Amino acid sequence: MIGAVDIGGTKIAVGMVDGAGRVLCKMELPTGADFDYADGLDLVVGMLRDTARNANGEVSGIGIGSTGPVDPITGEFGDIDFLPQWRRKNPVEDLERIFKVRVALENDADAAALAEAGWGAGRAKSRLVYVTIGTGIGGGIVLDGNLYRGVGRAHPEIGHQVIDPSGPLCSCGFQGCWESLAAGPAMAKWLEGKAPADYPHRQGLTARRICELALEGDELACESVQREAYYLGLGIANLVNLLTPDVIVLSGSIMKSSSLFLGGIRDTIRQGCRFVPFEKTELALASLGEDTNLIGAARVWHYRFGARGLGVQRW
């Protein structure tokens, strides 16, 4: 039974996950920019103990998935904007000291990629790309069962591939990044810029609301959805051309309305991927549900320490 810790922008979730990827028990708490690390660590420790007790078991190990830059080798947080008081702190060392078990840390998108590869839509696939599309765009890559890492074992930022250099400015410093064009806020921003002053749905406009309006037949919302599908398709087509994976697993809040986008995405892939066997790359929806990040955190531990059942540490 693995203790799973999911650290996100607005909450921390903790749960117990069994060896088949099933969440046995979970708890969560809200966070904020003023959330102190020592206090947060105490709360995480308490939730790990409570969930283990509620699941009638003992913690065999702990896996952590976290939004933002993390160092999976040292176990340190990087410059995470949403929890500034956690920067340069080391939850791996602290939880190992408290629980006397091995602890592993990964970026949450890499953790989710490992979960879908091991227990989800990418099971039995050799080459998987995981893409999550919500308030931002992120992902992870698993090749032949191994998590892909770049130089310095860095996490690849697939959301910051440039799609249109004349596009909107992104926080990364470039213009027209995939995230700046196709993440949820980009849908809302585009429609707000196109809508006339008397547009009746301007108030509280979100990507979710735009999808609802498109299903109701709103012309401007349908145009926004068509544009979103095109830009999603461009980014995914780039991944197909570069990596020719067995499967691309799509996740995130935007994909809750996947029926609106998949047709356009596939059209764009057919148009731009003629020099690779694109038809052999499956587009699949993430299958692990709302607990993907918790399951991913547990999978991080299995990946790192339980490789092939030999207990061999793997990076």
Side-chain angles (χ1 to χ4, degrees):
M1 191 171 68
I2 302 302
V5 181
D6 169 38
I7 301 170
T10 59
K11 67 178 176 67
I12 294 176
V14 172
M16 290 295 135
V17 182
D18 69 13
R22 293 185 295 259
V23 177
L24 305 176
C25 183
K26 63 180 179 179
M27 303 173 68
E28 63 181 53
L29 60 88
T31 63
D34 58 349
F35 199 55
D36 178 71
Y37 175 74
D39 293 340
L41 181 67
D42 287 344
L43 289 168
V44 167
V45 168
M47 288 194 294
L48 282 166
R49 288 174 172 157
D50 287 344
T51 52
R53 182 171 57 253
N54 293 341
N56 298 314
E58 294 184 1
V59 177
S60 303
I62 298 170
I64 307 170
S66 176
T67 302
V70 301
D71 189 326
I73 312 307
T74 66
E76 270 191 7
F77 289 118
D79 292 326
I80 47 177
D81 294 335
F82 59 93
L83 288 173
Q85 297 184 55
W86 292 47
R87 292 171 182 167
R88 308 304 170 197
K89 303 299 184 182
N90 196 311
V92 169
E93 290 182 353
D94 291 334
L95 291 174
E96 284 183 339
R97 171 177 47 81
I98 293 167
F99 285 93
K100 311 301 182 193
V101 297
R102 290 184 291 189
V103 180
L105 167 71
E106 289 286 355
N107 171 274
D108 59 351
D110 283 337
L114 288 170
E116 289 290 347
W119 288 324
R123 193 168 188 171
K125 304 288 187 181
S126 296
R127 295 163 291 269
L128 173 144
V129 179
Y130 174 85
V131 181
T132 180
I133 307 131
T135 55
I137 296 180
I141 302 169
V142 179
L143 302 175
D144 297 321
N146 294 305
L147 184 65
Y148 173 79
R149 301 188 193 279
V151 63
R153 298 194 173 103
H155 164 75
E157 292 289 350
I158 64 173
H160 294 286
Q161 53 171 309
V162 175
I163 300 295
D164 178 1
S166 65
L169 182 66
C170 180
S171 61
C172 74
F174 274 126
Q175 286 181 258
C177 287
W178 194 21
E179 180 173 292
S180 73
L181 289 163
M187 281 187 75
K189 187 175 182 180
W190 181 87
L191 197 150
E192 286 170 354
K194 290 290 183 179
D198 60 350
Y199 184 64
H201 308 295
R202 184 183 290 275
Q203 189 71 25
L205 202 58
T206 63
R208 178 179 177 177
R209 180 61 181 144
I210 292 169
C211 291
E212 292 172 349
L213 291 169
L215 290 171
E216 294 169 7
D218 181 89
E219 185 175 344
L220 197 54
C222 289
E223 189 177 348
S224 177
V225 163
Q226 185 178 16
R227 176 184 181 274
E228 173 74 2
Y230 174 67
Y231 280 118
L232 286 177
L234 286 178
I236 293 169
N238 285 344
L239 296 174
V240 172
N241 277 324
L242 285 169
L243 298 169
T244 56
D246 296 296
V247 61
I248 295 178
V249 178
L250 303 175
S251 181
S253 57
I254 296 294
M255 283 299 107
K256 291 180 179 179
S257 301
S258 60
S259 62
L260 294 173
F261 304 111
L262 286 177
I265 291 170
R266 291 190 172 103
D267 287 344
T268 304
I269 291 171
R270 278 192 293 270
Q271 179 183 355
C273 298
R274 294 181 295 113
F275 297 145
V276 297
F278 68 87
E279 68 281 356
K280 294 183 179 180
T281 294
E282 177 188 357
L283 287 187
L285 298 178
S287 64
L288 297 176
E290 297 296 328
D291 291 325
T292 295
N293 284 356
L294 270 182
I295 296 168
R299 189 68 187 180
V300 165
W301 188 93
H302 286 279
Y303 174 78
R304 187 76 55 81
F305 300 118
R308 300 173 183 87
L310 300 176
V312 177
Q313 186 164 331
R314 178 166 62 167
W315 298 102

